[in-house]
Amino acid sequence: QVNLVESGGGLVQPGGSLRLTCAASGSISSRVSMGWYRQAPGQEREFVATIISGGTTSYIDSVKGRFSIATENDKNTIYLQMNSLKPDDTAVYYCYLQTFAYRHWGQGTQVTVSS
């Protein structure tokens, strides 16, 4: 069983920064990638960023240049550094871990960007 725990969400003013953390534990095998999705009220869940086991990263266009995804040396913890936050970034952010067989999800952490 794989467990993902997110932290770091909260309320921030426009232009501010937050760093999200996702720590994975349990029986992790054949990890392909880890990353983040987000879901705003009334919207579908959308991809935000991913880091593949080889270190390659990818981002949705709307966060390029503002968000940065990184991993710890053990590669079971990832971070999402979010700068220059906008009200449109308000959403529940979900961490995922992709293996060859399954995509595991965390419970989500709320990010609210508001003045």
Side-chain angles (χ1 to χ4, degrees), residues 90-112:
T90 295
V92 178
Y93 284 70
Y94 295 92
C95 172
Y96 75 89
L97 185 152
Q98 180 72 53
T99 69
F100 288 134
Y102 195 73
R103 175 167 289 187
H104 304 271
W105 292 96
Q107 292 186 329
T109 185
Q110 176 71 46
V111 172
T112 303

Side-chain angles (χ1 to χ4, degrees), residues 11-77:
L11 173 65
V12 64
Q13 292 187 342
S17 298
L18 284 174
R19 188 175 82 155
L20 306 183
T21 301
C22 174
S25 61
S27 301
I28 300 171
S29 62
S30 64
R31 183 187 62 238
V32 174
S33 64
M34 290 184 71
W36 298 89
Y37 276 65
R38 67 187 180 186
Q39 187 167 19
Q43 303 294 320
E44 293 187 354
R45 191 174 294 191
E46 68 173 358
F47 166 80
V48 177
T50 187
I51 184 163
I52 301 171
S53 293
T56 301
T57 59
S58 180
Y59 302 89
I60 190 173
D61 284 349
S62 61
V63 308
K64 286 180 180 178
R66 301 188 299 121
F67 290 12
S68 178
I69 190 170
T71 185
E72 277 287 2
N73 288 336
D74 68 0
K75 298 183 180 178
N76 287 336
T77 300

